Amino acid sequence: MSANTPISFYPLTFVPDSPDVVVGRKDIDSYAVFPEDGAALLQMLQSGVSPEEAAHWYFERYAEPIDIEDFLQTLGDLQFIRNGRDKEVVPPSTRSSIWQSIGRATFSPLAWIIYSAILGYSLYVMIRFPYLRPGYHNLFFSPYLVVLELGLFLGQFPGILVHELFHMLAGRRLGIPSRLGIGRRLYIIVFETHLTGLWSVPRQARYLPFLAGMLADLLWFALLTTIASLTYTPAHPFSFPGAFCLALAFSTLLRFIWQFYFYLQTDIYYVFTNILRCVDLQQTTWQYLWNRIYRLLKLTHKIRDEDAWNPRDRQVARWYVFFFGAGYLFTLGTLFFVGVPTALRIFSGIVADLLNHAAFNLNFWDSCVFLLLNGIQVAVVAWIYWRERKARRAAERSLSAMSHEKNLSPDYVEEKGVL
């Protein structure tokens, strides 16, 4: 790449995010947070100025030299630079335009009126009929454990789909591409909507995509409660579909409350970091916590360089670490003091059934199905953890290979909106 030849770039978005600028390619979801002078230098290059002229302009304006080759290497790593072999950016398809229209309709004034009516009516029936109010007893919609386990396991997927669909539509409404995936929050498997393109819009426009899933949960809870009000009576506690709807409504409410465990990168976490103007608070807090542990253990060779963190993340992590640590301890405590004893009790029941030569009775198969479903979840969590760890190490090796004379290197952003 000649220093005297102008460089061709893909279409880039520049979103001021004081004191920095978020720059990215919407077509491939590649975003980075540049310092203001770095974004200005990139815009000079994008306007058709050669790298040599851009470096000279930078020196005159900021009175500091710039390693322009290193800067270009960073832009290449971000896939901002176009070369002769690259294909043209494909314009948005008709299907994308249709999804954008659906997204706008989903959050139109008329839609909000309908949502208010649904929520209002469900609140009315819960006030009038106490047996429709959420409670843990609603989970026992059947006297058979296998029916409870499979019913709640399979019945939650439509609600989860609606949750993620609202995230996606709120993003598509802004013209942001999205994709669905599977992730984890500590030991809990979750479905995710990837909305990295939120970095291409101002901060105030990000709140609806972040909170749309929680709105969907409330609506799903209200619809299930409304259906139950039409079919369920206390005189027939195991009648379908009313009792089943109440069970799913309660599990939906639990999923809604779980979003407030923001230390696990839930929907509220992204709202929280958006308000505080952070880039990757979760990862920074993890590294900050481990640095303190390494210092206590005198393992100074393992301490991460804190100057490499985003300054705002580093500032917030100093006090966020206490909420972060307490939250993880609470979740782990729930696992060890509730989850593990429950699993051991069921396992001991299976052993007792086997010793009593009752391997084919209903209680035995109930317990087997429960262990099988939870065992699959543990295996999937382990696989996701291994995949994340492998990707994180690859990213760390890539970043550690970069050195800079003048630090205009951007902060590689987290997948904002993995919801």
Side-chain angles (χ1 to χ4, degrees):
M1 187 180 299
S2 173
N4 296 317
T5 304
I7 299 172
S8 177
F9 290 88
Y10 287 98
L12 302 176
T13 60
F14 291 80
V15 179
D17 195 27
S18 181
D20 302 310
V21 179
V22 179
V23 185
R25 275 184 63 185
K26 290 178 65 174
D27 58 313
I28 63 169
D29 277 348
S30 177
Y31 296 89
V33 180
F34 283 75
E36 188 176 359
D37 53 343
L41 177 61
L42 174 53
Q43 287 178 315
M44 286 295 295
L45 291 167
Q46 193 181 33
S47 69
V49 173
S50 69
E52 184 177 355
E53 292 172 330
H56 181 70
W57 169 86
Y58 184 89
F59 181 78
E60 287 186 341
R61 179 162 183 175
Y62 297 101
E64 292 186 29
I66 174 67
D67 185 346
I68 194 65
E69 292 297 328
D70 188 72
F71 187 68
L72 293 177
Q73 177 63 45
T74 300
L75 298 180
D77 293 337
L78 290 167
Q79 301 181 59
F80 288 175
I81 298 176
R82 186 199 304 271
N83 60 55
R85 298 185 303 273
D86 290 341
K87 298 180 180 179
E88 291 294 325
V89 177
V90 179
S93 63
T94 303
R95 179 176 297 180
S96 297
S97 300
I98 293 174
W99 277 111
Q100 187 172 9
S101 298
I102 295 174
R104 289 172 177 169
T106 303
F107 300 99
S108 65
L110 176 59
W112 285 106
I113 293 174
I114 295 173
Y115 300 156
S116 299
I118 294 172
L119 293 171
Y121 181 77
S122 67
L123 181 62
Y124 163 74
V125 297
M126 284 188 291
I127 293 175
R128 184 174 178 181
F129 305 106
Y131 58 82
L132 294 175
R133 298 170 189 173
Y136 74 92
H137 56 276
N138 291 340
L139 294 175
F140 301 96
F141 62 93
S142 169
Y144 302 108
L145 179 61
V146 65
V147 176
L148 295 178
E149 181 70 18
L150 289 177
L152 292 175
F153 177 75
L154 297 175
Q156 68 177 327
F157 288 106
I160 293 174
L161 178 61
V162 172
H163 177 104
E164 300 304 331
L165 182 63
F166 266 57
H167 278 310
M168 186 190 74
L169 290 175
R172 290 297 182 99
R173 165 178 164 270
L174 301 174
I176 296 171
S178 60
R179 57 187 175 88
L180 298 178
I182 299 177
R184 68 178 180 90
R185 301 294 185 268
L186 197 53
Y187 59 83
I188 304 168
I189 297 176
V190 295
F191 291 88
E192 301 173 333
T193 302
H194 295 257
L195 289 171
T196 313
L198 285 176
W199 283 96
S200 66
V201 300
R203 283 187 180 271
Q204 61 268 23
R206 302 172 191 168
Y207 290 108
L208 181 57
F210 289 154
L211 295 172
M214 296 180 70
L215 170 64
D217 288 339
L218 289 177
L219 291 172
W220 192 248
F221 168 83
L223 286 171
L224 290 169
T225 302
T226 300
I227 294 173
S229 71
L230 302 175
T231 61
Y232 176 81
T233 61
H236 302 87
F238 298 127
S239 62
F240 282 81
F244 185 47
C245 286
L246 286 181
L248 293 179
F250 184 72
S251 65
T252 301
L253 184 61
L254 293 179
R255 191 166 64 245
F256 177 85
I257 295 173
W258 179 78
Q259 297 295 341
F260 290 89
Y261 292 179
F262 55 85
Y263 55 89
L264 293 178
Q265 285 185 286
T266 59
D267 296 354
I268 294 297
Y269 162 82
Y270 288 105
V271 173
F272 187 75
T273 56
N274 197 57
I275 293 173
L276 294 176
R277 312 184 77 83
C278 294
V279 177
D280 191 358
L281 182 60
Q282 182 85 355
Q283 187 64 22
T284 301
T285 305
W286 259 120
Q287 295 180 2
Y288 180 88
L289 179 61
W290 278 109
N291 278 1
R292 296 300 174 271
I293 295 174
Y294 291 146
R295 287 191 177 96
L296 288 175
L297 299 177
K298 308 297 184 182
L299 300 174
T300 55
H301 63 284
K302 291 188 175 183
I303 294 177
R304 302 289 186 90
D305 180 14
E306 298 186 3
D307 291 334
W309 303 340
N310 178 272
R312 181 59 178 167
D313 287 349
R314 183 170 64 245
Q315 180 184 13
V316 174
R318 293 191 178 107
W319 58 264
Y320 179 71
V321 68
F322 296 104
F323 295 95
F324 185 83
Y328 267 86
L329 288 175
F330 173 78
T331 305
L332 288 172
T334 302
L335 170 65
F336 288 112
F337 292 104
V338 178
V340 171
T342 300
L344 290 176
R345 181 174 179 177
I346 293 175
F347 182 75
S348 64
I350 293 176
V351 173
D353 282 339
L354 290 173
L355 294 177
N356 291 330
H357 305 288
F360 294 100
N361 68 8
L362 186 59
N363 290 333
F364 171 80
W365 290 115
D366 279 353
S367 300
C368 283
V369 171
F370 179 87
L371 287 177
L372 176 62
L373 293 176
N374 287 274
I376 291 174
Q377 175 165 309
V378 170
V380 173
V381 167
W383 173 75
I384 293 173
Y385 173 78
W386 173 82
R387 186 186 64 177
E388 289 177 350
R389 186 177 178 84
K390 183 179 179 181
R392 191 181 306 117
R393 286 183 173 179
E396 289 174 353
R397 285 195 298 268
S398 176
L399 289 175
S400 65
M402 299 181 183
S403 59
H404 307 277
E405 175 184 335
K406 162 64 179 173
N407 186 17
L408 289 184
S409 176
D411 291 305
Y412 291 82
V413 303
E414 64 178 327
E415 282 207 276
K416 180 72 69 175
V418 181
L419 306 168

